[in-house]
């Protein structure tokens, strides 16, 4: 156990807590707490959107998937996830910003009514279980590795959750934005320095690239069969489209000082995420060159420990401090956002429907208590799911929003003829068809991806449900007209 390393990590955690407590002194109302008073400049919008995705799976999950299966194995994240932010910036940020909403659920209420608001908000909230659980699982793993097993992973999950929970409850999104800004600086510098050092250990970047070429790691597209292409497309769109109707993404773009900043910040943040996600991939490729078969074996059987083990066994103390500072920055930035987002949606779009006369002060207090309760639920879920790979926890989180919430959002914004009945049919068919493809329900999911089938059904439901009543009304009117002529 390296006492010096642990001391630096503890000081870093205490520093972020202090920053969060200070941010709490600036919170005056729910808008300050939920979206930082719509005041953030471009640089903070970029860092906080970048931090949205750069979490545990980016540092520990994606690189191991890459060295096992190449670029084809990581189409969902980072490519799908980063493209999501670009699409948000190009097509959604400005339109949503100008509507002056507190949550993404407010859009569904405004466009389609309270029923769709509640149902889509529930789908969005549930999708965060796997995402937050992945971050908490990673925190437990980090503390266990740091203490050389002296702290169990379960105890590490509890300590990590408390460390994040305190500054989120006190400082809200303002604390998240400020800590994201600091943590992303630590992350970029730390991983960049480690990348250069890892390249030296591996005999230079050329040796690492040669290994990647020989292992055919640059292959991106699958074999040209219908089944392989369908599953490839489904993997790509799960986070690319399923993450668009998410409260954490919405909070980041609507926290900007104006619509232009919201759009530009999301695009730049998404492109930066895709580009910088290659750094931990490169570091793990270096680990394969340095550690050989041991690294590949760990990537296959216990990939979440590969990168921490490489740093702890092959690098000096300074690199270890930089790495764990960067890793904790990535995890804490994502977990803080994903604790705040569903809690804000729950109070704004569900509790307020039950208590419509709730004042701002009561809403702020309810949001803080909801964060505490949600953190406890996710911690219990993470402990129950212990052993599930981090990448799998994240990648499965957004299928429900893809099939249940994406179509009403995009069609509600861009198709004037979309109706509440169309939204109801979209949600019902999307979720229903998706469930039909579950392996527990039928073998259909073995031949065609359920989330893609659900998305197609959701579009069909929206178009059919919106146009059918209009078509029937026109036929009825035409029939009356003909009868009148006769």
């Amino acid at each position: 156990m390296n006492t010096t390393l642990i001391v630096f990590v503890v000081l870093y955690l205490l520093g972020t807590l202090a920053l969060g407590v200070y941010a709490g002194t600036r919170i005056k109302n729910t808008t300050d707490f939920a979206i930082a008073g719509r005041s953030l400049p471009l640089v903070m919008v970029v860092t906080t959107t970048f931090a949205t995705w750069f979490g545990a799976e980016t540092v520990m999950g994606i690189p191991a998937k890459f060295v096992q299966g190449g670029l084809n194995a990581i189409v969902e994240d980072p490519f799908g996830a980063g493209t999501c932010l670009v699409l948000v910036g190009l097509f959604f940020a400005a339109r949503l910003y100008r509507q002056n909403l507190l949550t993404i659920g407010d859009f569904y209420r405004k466009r389609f009514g309270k029923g769709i608001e509640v149902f889509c908000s529930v789908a969005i909230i549930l999708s965060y279980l796997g995402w937050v659980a992945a971050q908490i699982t990673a925190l437990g793993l980090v503390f266990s590795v740091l203490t050389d097993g002296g702290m169990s992973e379960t105890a590490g999950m509890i300590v990590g959750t408390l460390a994040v929970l305190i500054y989120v409850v006190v400082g809200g999104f303002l604390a998240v934005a400020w800590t994201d800004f600091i943590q992303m600086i630590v992350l970029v510098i730390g991983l960049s320095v480690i990348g250069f050092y890892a390249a030296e250990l591996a005999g230079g970047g050329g040796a690492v690239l040669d290994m990647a070429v020989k292992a055919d790691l640059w292959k991106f597209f699958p074999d040209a069969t219908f089944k392989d292409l369908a599953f490839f497309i489904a993997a790509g769109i799960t986070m690319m489209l399923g993450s668009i109707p998410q409260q954490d993404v919405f909070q980041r773009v609507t926290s900007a000082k104006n619509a232009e900043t919201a759009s530009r910040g999301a695009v730049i943040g998404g492109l930066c995420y895709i580009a910088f996600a290659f750094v931990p991939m490169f570091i793990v490729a270096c680990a394969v060159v340095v550690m050989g078969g041991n690294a590949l074996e760990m990537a296959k059987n216990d990939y979440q420990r590969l990168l921490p083990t490489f740093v702890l066994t092959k690098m000096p103390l300074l690199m270890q401090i930089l790495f764990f500072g960067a890793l904790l920055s990535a995890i804490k930035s994502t977990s803080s956002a994903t604790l705040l987002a569903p809690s804000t949606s729950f109070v704004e779009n569900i509790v307020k429907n039950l208590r419509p006369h709730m004042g701002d002060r009561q809403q702020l207090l309810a949001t803080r208590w909801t964060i505490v309760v949600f953190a406890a639920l996710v911690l219990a879920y993470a402990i129950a799911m212990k052993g599930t790979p981090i990448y799998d926890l994240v990648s499965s989180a957004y299928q429900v929003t893809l099939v249940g919430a994406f179509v009403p959002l995009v069609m509600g914004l861009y198709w004037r003829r979309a109706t509440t009945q169309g939204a109801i049919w979209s949600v019902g068919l999307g979720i229903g068809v998706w469930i039909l493809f579950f392996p527990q329900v039928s073998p259909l999911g073995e031949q065609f991806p359920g989330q893609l089938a659900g998305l197609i059904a959701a579009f069909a439901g929206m178009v059919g449900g919106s146009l059918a009543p209009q078509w029937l009304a026109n036929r009825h009117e035409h029939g009356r007209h003909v009868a009148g002529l006769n």
Side-chain angles (χ1 to χ4, degrees):
M1 187 186 301
N2 193 319
T3 306
T4 304
L5 177 58
I6 294 174
V7 168
F8 271 98
V9 168
V10 170
L11 289 174
Y12 179 64
L13 291 174
L14 291 175
T16 56
L17 286 177
L19 185 60
V21 171
Y22 175 71
T25 64
R26 308 285 296 273
I27 301 297
K28 306 300 181 185
N29 52 47
T30 303
T31 301
D32 289 342
F33 190 83
I35 52 176
R38 294 165 65 95
S39 62
L40 298 185
L42 178 62
V43 64
M44 292 191 74
V45 176
V46 170
T47 54
T48 196
T49 49
F50 175 80
T52 304
W53 296 147
F54 212 104
E57 73 293 339
T58 315
V59 180
M60 295 190 291
I62 292 172
K65 288 279 187 181
F66 170 67
V67 297
Q68 290 180 78
L71 293 179
N72 178 259
I74 56 171
V75 60
E76 189 166 355
D77 193 4
F79 296 108
T83 304
C84 163
L85 293 178
V86 175
L87 293 175
V88 167
L90 293 176
F91 301 107
F92 296 89
R95 285 174 177 255
L96 291 172
Y97 187 93
R98 295 188 185 103
Q99 295 191 33
N100 197 24
L101 308 170
L102 188 66
T103 68
I104 190 73
D106 290 346
F107 168 80
Y108 293 110
R109 180 182 67 246
K110 184 177 178 181
R111 185 66 173 82
F112 298 115
K114 289 186 178 181
I116 295 298
E117 171 199 10
V118 171
F119 194 93
C120 288
S121 295
V122 169
I124 290 167
I125 291 166
L126 289 176
S127 74
Y128 281 97
L129 274 176
W131 184 252
V132 189
Q135 313 311 312
I136 291 175
T137 299
L139 284 170
L141 178 63
V142 168
F143 287 123
S144 177
V145 170
L146 273 173
T147 58
D148 197 21
M151 179 183 289
S152 68
E153 287 190 28
T154 300
M157 289 181 191
I158 296 171
V159 171
T161 301
L162 289 173
V164 176
L165 181 64
I166 292 171
Y167 78 81
V168 176
V169 168
V170 174
F173 189 69
L174 194 60
V176 172
W178 286 2
T179 52
D180 278 356
F181 182 72
I182 301 299
Q183 288 170 165
M184 288 308 98
I185 293 173
V186 173
L187 181 136
V188 169
I189 294 175
L191 288 183
S192 297
V193 172
I194 291 167
F196 282 109
Y197 191 85
E200 287 187 15
L201 289 177
V208 180
L209 294 177
D210 287 343
M211 181 279 295
V213 171
K214 290 178 182 177
D216 199 22
L217 297 183
W218 300 122
K219 182 181 178 181
F220 182 73
F221 292 103
D223 295 334
T225 66
F226 176 80
K227 181 178 178 179
D228 289 340
L229 286 172
F231 277 91
F232 177 79
I233 292 170
I237 65 172
T238 296
M239 287 190 73
M240 185 189 302
L241 304 182
S243 298
I244 290 176
Q246 286 291 344
Q247 177 61 19
D248 56 330
V249 176
F250 176 85
Q251 279 178 316
R252 276 148 174 73
V253 297
T254 53
S255 66
K257 63 181 181 179
N258 54 49
E260 182 184 5
T261 300
S263 297
R264 290 172 59 197
V267 172
I268 296 171
L271 293 175
C272 288
Y273 174 71
I274 294 173
F276 202 76
F278 278 88
V279 175
M281 283 190 266
F282 176 78
I283 296 172
V284 167
C286 292
V288 171
V289 174
V290 174
M291 299 169 64
N294 290 335
L296 289 174
E297 189 66 23
M298 188 174 289
K300 182 179 180 181
N301 298 319
D302 196 11
Y303 72 74
Q304 294 163 174
R305 292 180 179 268
L306 174 54
L307 194 48
T309 300
F310 176 53
V311 173
L312 285 173
T313 59
K314 302 295 181 180
M315 295 189 181
L317 178 61
L318 177 60
M319 296 297 145
Q320 294 174 18
I321 292 171
L322 286 172
F323 172 74
F324 282 100
L327 179 57
L328 285 171
S329 294
I331 298 171
K332 288 171 86 273
S333 64
T334 301
S335 55
S336 60
T338 49
L339 278 177
L340 178 62
S343 303
T344 306
S345 289
F346 178 77
V347 174
E348 171 71 10
N349 303 115
I350 297 176
V351 174
K352 283 186 71 176
N353 277 313
L354 300 174
R355 298 187 61 190
H357 302 297
M358 181 185 293
D360 186 81
R361 205 166 168 182
Q362 292 174 305
Q363 184 176 351
L364 182 57
L365 180 62
T367 302
R368 283 177 161 144
W369 274 111
T370 302
I371 294 170
V372 174
V373 173
F374 187 74
L377 291 174
V378 172
L379 175 61
Y381 178 74
I383 292 172
M385 296 293 288
K386 192 165 65 173
T388 303
I390 291 171
Y391 191 93
D392 293 345
L393 283 171
V394 171
S395 62
S396 62
Y398 292 110
Q399 291 190 18
V400 63
T401 47
L402 173 68
V403 300
F406 172 72
V407 173
L409 175 63
V410 68
M411 299 296 272
L413 280 172
Y414 282 97
W415 193 40
R416 291 184 178 181
R417 299 179 71 180
T419 66
T420 299
Q421 182 166 313
I424 293 171
W425 276 96
S426 174
V427 171
L429 282 177
I431 297 287
V433 171
W434 174 59
I435 292 174
L436 182 62
F437 278 67
F438 281 8
Q440 301 91 333
V441 178
S442 76
L444 293 172
E446 297 176 6
Q447 302 301 320
F448 193 81
Q451 68 268 42
L452 184 54
L455 180 64
I456 294 169
F459 272 111
M462 174 59 80
V463 174
S466 297
L467 295 183
Q470 301 170 29
W471 181 77
L472 289 173
N474 290 337
R475 277 188 61 93
H476 180 67
E477 185 64 29
H478 177 70
R480 290 180 58 188
H481 179 69
V482 171
L485 288 176
N486 292 335

